[in-house]
Amino acid sequence: MSEVIATNQTILVVGGGISGLTAALEAAECGKQVVLLEKSPSVGGRVSQLYKYFPKLCFPTCGLEIQLRRLRANKNVRLITMAEVTGISGDEGNYEVTAKVAPRFVNENCTACGECASVVEAEFDDEFNYGLTKRKGAYLTSPMAYPQRYVLDPGIIGTADADKAKEVCKYGAVDLEMGEQELKLNVGAVIWATGWKPYDAAKIQPYGYDRFANVVTNVEFERMLDPFGPTGGKIQRPSDGEAPKNIAFIQCAGSRDRNHLKHCSRICCMASLKQTTYVREQFGDDAKSTIYYIDIRAIDRIDDFYQKVQADENVSFVKSKVANIVENKANGNLILNGVDTEGYNRYASEHDLVVLATGMESTVPGGVFPEGMVINEHGFIDQDPANGGIFGAGCSSDALDVNRATQNATAAALRAIQVVNRVAGMEG
Ligand SMILES: Cc1cc2nc3c(=O)[nH]c(=O)nc-3n(C[C@H](O)[C@H](O)[C@H](O)COP(=O)(O)OP(=O)(O)OC[C@H]3O[C@@H](n4cnc5c(N)ncnc54)[C@H](O)[C@@H]3O)c2cc1C
């Protein structure tokens, strides 16, 4: 077991998405020592998988780049990627944390030249593209990955591919002897920022995500638009690669539903409104978007965005929870059945692509925290005195947009700073 240098005046941040990065940087820039653990090979979280983000519709590179620049400049943050917490015990001001770090099989000599990927043949589902494409067994998670360091998939270790990757690397960066490491950290406070995952659309059986090729999810749609994504930035029907001209967006797909996620994911309305702007950007007047909704939850300044989309005559709104989807076998189109609750008219409307606005599910794990930790019925960490020096941040505390997630992360950083300051005060 190897020990990471940390003391009970150190703040541990778990999760390197926009919230974890923000919390880590806010604390570090106040002079605190921070250890940042990220499960995947690079930081950035799900924001880095978006095409653009509201309200300004900037590319993720803009917001994340600022955080990455701050991260590179700050010696108080120690980033450890491919790391997952396995247990936390102790009390506010004195926690013992165990974590495991998966081997990357590539060391710090890597210059991200990509030679290893060019010789490796084996391919695996690309997590960054939600499995819509394959990636090589030697890969960078995304073009903007930080750290810019390749990873070897454990699936190629012991194969000729791994040997070829090692041989071709002129920097001696491929290290096939790397193994899983265990870490033990003593820290004063913990900020939990492991974010969210998309609700499994296959569980919403009436919508046929697992049966109909042209039913996709909102996160897949984001990837489709990305010039580096699975379709090179083109909106396409998965069944035949044709450009869709009549797209349906179904709200509350698995949210606000006692059979699935009870909570409102809050983002999905804005995400679909935003995605209709992608349709307009790509097809102009040649494609129509229809949003099927229970009620549109667009809040604060974001309401202006809603009004702009409403003014677009190529976007229509149907107030209805879609009951089910049937596939038109002749052309792969989808027929949406339901009742329009404004006129109480039944409809059976045909679309050539359906985007499910699937909700955000918490990734706060069970079995890791000390006993008595308050996690609410939706799986999010409540702000509760019983949680001592462990604080949820960003989407570990609720389904939040980037603006709210970063505000919430800053608040968590402040609370953690108060904890370690108290420890410092007691220890003189
Ligand atoms: C379709 C869609 C579109 C959206 N579009 C917008 C938009 O346009 N504008 C906007 O403001 N918001 C948007 N959002 C919301 C936005 O994605 C979230 O606000 C943002 O991702 C929250 O960041 P986070 O850091 O809290 O979580 P995440 O982005 O989920 O980051 C969590 C990080 O923690 C890591 N992690 C997970 N588990 C562990 C673990 N056990 N140990 C260590 N690390 C772990 C993950 O790898 C990840 O890096 C959208 C959401 C959806 C569903």
Side-chain angles (χ1 to χ4, degrees), residues 14-21 37-40 42-48 50 52-55 57 83-85 192-198 218-219 222 267-268 270-271 274-275 278 358-360 363 365 393-396 400-405:
V14 186
I18 194 87
S19 305
L21 284 171
L37 299 184
E38 163 57 48
K39 183 172 79 171
S40 71
S42 58
V43 297
R46 296 198 186 268
V47 171
S48 60
L50 300 176
K52 291 183 183 174
Y53 68 107
F54 58 72
L57 296 188
E84 256 186 281
V85 169
W192 197 270
T194 58
W196 60 279
K197 61 179 179 188
N218 51 6
V219 290
E222 290 287 333
I267 310 306
C268 322
M270 270 305 291
K274 175 184 70 169
Q275 291 178 344
Y278 299 169
T358 41
M360 295 158 82
T363 57
C395 290
S396 287
L400 301 172
D401 61 17
V402 172
N403 186 20
R404 284 178 173 74

Side-chain angles (χ1 to χ4, degrees), residues 75-96:
K75 298 264 178 293
N76 290 345
V77 186
R78 168 138 188 216
L79 168 66
I80 304 174
T81 52
M82 306 187 71
E84 256 186 281
V85 169
T86 47
I88 305 176
S89 58
D91 292 305
E92 175 174 333
N94 190 18
Y95 289 108
E96 189 172 296

Side-chain angles (χ1 to χ4, degrees), residues 51 221-227 231 233-235 278 281-282:
Y51 168 48
F221 199 67
E222 290 287 333
R223 295 308 307 138
M224 224 187 250
L225 269 294
D226 188 330
T231 57
K234 292 202 181 91
I235 303 177
Y278 299 169
E281 176 183 287
Q282 195 151 123

